[in-house]
Amino acid sequence: MEELFITWMREYGYAILFLWSILEGESGLVMAGLFAHTGDMQLFTAIFVAGLGGFAGDQLYFYIGRFNKNYVHRTLKQQRRKFALAHLLLKKHGWPIIFLQRYMYGLRTIIPIAIGLTGYDAKKYALINLFAAWCWSSVVILPVWYFGNEILSVVKWGKEHWYFALPFVGIVVGSFYYYFHTITEKTFKPKIDPKI
């Protein structure tokens, strides 16, 4: 399975990277950085393609908000507090929030939809979003490419000692999830007026 995946990445790597960047993000960029390190991908082409994928994904979410307001309000009711926070962040910080959205756990897809729900200029959003997406792909791919030998050594060790690596990865991922989930809950917890 691993060999098949590597073969696909070598043959269709840029197309896979583009689609992966639309749907998810960082793990695809890490793979692209490693393939650029081994010479199976061209570094700046990978950054360019990944940025286009991230841009396309956020544009899709933006236009879902812009042209499907009733659908969004109906199907994403449980996210209404996050939408409210996204609106507040946009109002307070303006266009820089478009840059920061990719690094905000729990709001990554909410913010483009929330911006689409407002009257924010679509051309301005697209221009900022494109530049932000290329910055995002550079921030992830370049360090992975640069530290490729070290990362590949860790991956090799993990494959050879999977009985240690799997529990360790599970603990790390679980800890990150718990931490960010807790922070998100605290952030979105409604403030109750004690006088009421």
Side-chain angles (χ1 to χ4, degrees):
M1 186 68 180
E2 181 182 343
E3 291 180 6
L4 179 62
F5 175 74
I6 291 173
T7 300
W8 282 354
M9 284 298 292
R10 284 173 176 161
E11 291 183 8
Y12 313 108
Y14 296 113
I16 292 171
L17 177 60
F18 178 79
L19 295 173
W20 204 336
S21 299
I22 291 174
L23 298 173
E24 191 265 330
E26 280 78 10
S27 60
L29 300 189
V30 169
M31 290 299 300
L34 290 175
F35 274 99
H37 179 80
T38 59
D40 294 302
M41 276 186 166
Q42 205 282 326
L43 177 62
F44 293 106
T45 304
I47 290 172
F48 181 81
V49 170
L52 283 183
F55 165 78
D58 284 345
Q59 288 299 120
L60 177 63
Y61 291 127
F62 175 85
Y63 283 110
I64 286 173
R66 180 58 49 95
F67 297 116
N68 296 278
K69 292 182 180 181
N70 291 333
Y71 173 80
V72 170
H73 288 306
R74 188 173 64 252
T75 57
L76 298 176
K77 279 194 243 181
Q78 70 277 14
Q79 304 289 343
R80 61 187 179 277
R81 286 184 291 179
K82 291 186 179 182
F83 276 112
L85 178 61
H87 282 293
L88 287 173
L89 290 171
L90 179 64
K91 188 174 180 180
K92 184 176 180 180
H93 301 289
W95 65 264
I97 204 65
I98 300 171
F99 261 88
L100 297 174
Q101 69 188 32
R102 288 179 172 81
Y103 313 100
M104 300 175 72
Y105 177 83
L107 294 172
R108 187 169 176 169
T109 57
I110 295 293
I111 289 178
I113 296 173
I115 295 174
L117 290 170
T118 69
Y120 199 87
D121 183 73
K123 290 181 181 178
K124 183 178 179 181
Y125 177 81
L127 183 62
I128 297 170
N129 184 35
L130 180 60
F131 188 61
W134 278 328
C135 289
W136 164 74
S137 62
S138 300
V139 162
V140 180
I141 291 176
L142 282 172
V144 175
W145 165 77
Y146 186 80
F147 294 105
N149 285 337
E150 291 79 3
I151 294 169
L152 289 171
S153 295
V154 171
V155 171
K156 182 181 178 183
W157 181 90
K159 286 167 66 176
E160 292 173 352
H161 303 87
W162 59 269
Y163 40 86
F164 289 127
L166 283 179
F168 177 75
V169 170
I171 291 169
V172 170
V173 171
S175 299
F176 272 107
Y177 175 80
Y178 176 77
Y179 173 75
F180 285 114
H181 181 72
T182 303
I183 292 297
T184 301
E185 286 298 312
K186 287 181 180 178
T187 303
F188 301 133
K189 187 176 181 180
K191 294 181 179 178
I192 300 172
D193 191 339
K195 296 179 181 179
I196 297 176

